[in-house]
C-alpha cells in the first residue's frame, strides 16, 4: 500500500511539473504587440526594430541613452505610451483622436513626427506611480532586455589630427555623444 501511495505521489508531482513547464512555454510564446499598429512579434527586440522602421523616428534605445533614463523611468514611459495609444491620444502633446488611424496620421506629420515617443524626463509623468502598473498581464515587453539598465559600450573614434580629418573626427564624436553613449577620440598625427 505504501508503495502504491508513493507511486501516486510521484505521478502527481510529475504531472504538476509538466503543467508548470507547459505554462512557462506559453509565457515564452506570448507575442509582443507594436505600440502603434496591431502587428505581433515573438520578442521585444523585433517589435522595437519594427517601430524604428515602420514608425520613424521611433528609437527606444536612443531615447533611453540620450535622456539617461533609469529602469523605472523606462517602465513609466512604456506604460504612458501604451495607455495613450490605446486611448488614441498622442503620448507627447496629449491631443486626442477618434481613431487609431487618425493618431497615426498625426504621428506621421512632418511637424509632429517627434511625437512617436513621450516627452523626456523631467516631465511630470515620470513621477506618476500609477504608470508602474501594466495595462495587461502578462506583458512580455516588461520582461525583455529593452527595459534593462543600459550598459553602453565605449566608442573609440580614430582620425587625423589636422585639417579635414580632424573636422570629421570631431563631427563623428559629437554624433556619438549626442546619442548618450560614451566616446573617446584618438587623433593620429603624421610622424615619419
Amino acid at each position: 500500500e505504501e508503495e502504491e501511495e508513493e507511486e501516486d505521489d510521484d505521478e502527481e508531482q510529475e504531472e504538476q511539473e509538466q503543467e508548470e513547464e507547459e505554462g512557462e512555454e506559453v509565457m515564452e510564446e506570448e507575442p509582443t504587440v507594436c505600440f502603434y499598429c496591431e502587428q505581433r512579434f515573438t520578442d521585444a527586440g523585433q517589435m522595437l526594430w519594427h517601430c524604428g522602421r515602420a514608425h520613424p523616428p521611433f528609437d527606444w534605445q536612443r531615447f533611453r541613452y540620450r535622456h539617461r533614463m533609469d529602469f523605472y523611468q523606462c517602465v513609466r514611459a512604456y506604460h504612458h505610451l501604451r495607455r495613450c495609444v490605446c486611448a488614441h491620444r498622442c503620448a507627447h502633446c496629449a491631443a486626442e483622436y477618434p481613431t487609431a488611424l487618425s493618431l497615426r496620421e498625426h504621428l506621421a506629420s512632418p511637424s509632429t513626427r517627434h511625437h512617436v515617443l513621450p516627452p523626456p524626463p523631467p516631465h511630470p509623468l515620470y513621477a506618476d506611480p500609477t504608470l508602474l502598473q501594466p495595462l495587461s498581464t502578462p506583458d512580455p515587453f516588461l520582461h525583455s532586455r529593452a527595459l534593462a539598465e543600459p550598459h553602453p559600450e565605449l566608442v573609440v573614434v580614430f582620425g587625423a589630427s589636422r585639417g579635414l580629418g580632424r573636422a570629421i573626427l570631431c563631427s563623428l564624436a559629437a554624433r556619438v555623444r549626442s546619442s548618450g553613449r560614451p566616446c573617446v577620440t584618438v587623433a593620429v598625427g603624421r610622424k615619419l
Side-chain angles (χ1 to χ4, degrees), residues 8 16 26 36 39 44 52 67 80 82 90-91 95 100-102 108 111 121 145 147 154 156 159 171 183:
D8 289 339
Q16 287 177 347
V26 170
Y36 300 105
Q39 201 160 349
H67 302 292
H80 175 71
R82 281 275 186 222
C90 177
L101 179 60
S102 56
S111 63
R145 295 185 63 192
L147 292 179
L154 177 66
V156 179
S171 173
C183 178

Side-chain angles (χ1 to χ4, degrees), residues 34-38 55 84-90 96-108:
C34 173
F35 287 111
Y36 300 105
C37 61
E38 297 300 317
H55 312 291
C84 286
V85 171
C86 286
H88 308 303
R89 187 174 62 243
C90 177
E96 294 189 18
Y97 295 90
T99 64
L101 179 60
S102 56
L103 173 62
R104 284 196 299 269
E105 288 171 357
H106 165 74
L107 298 173

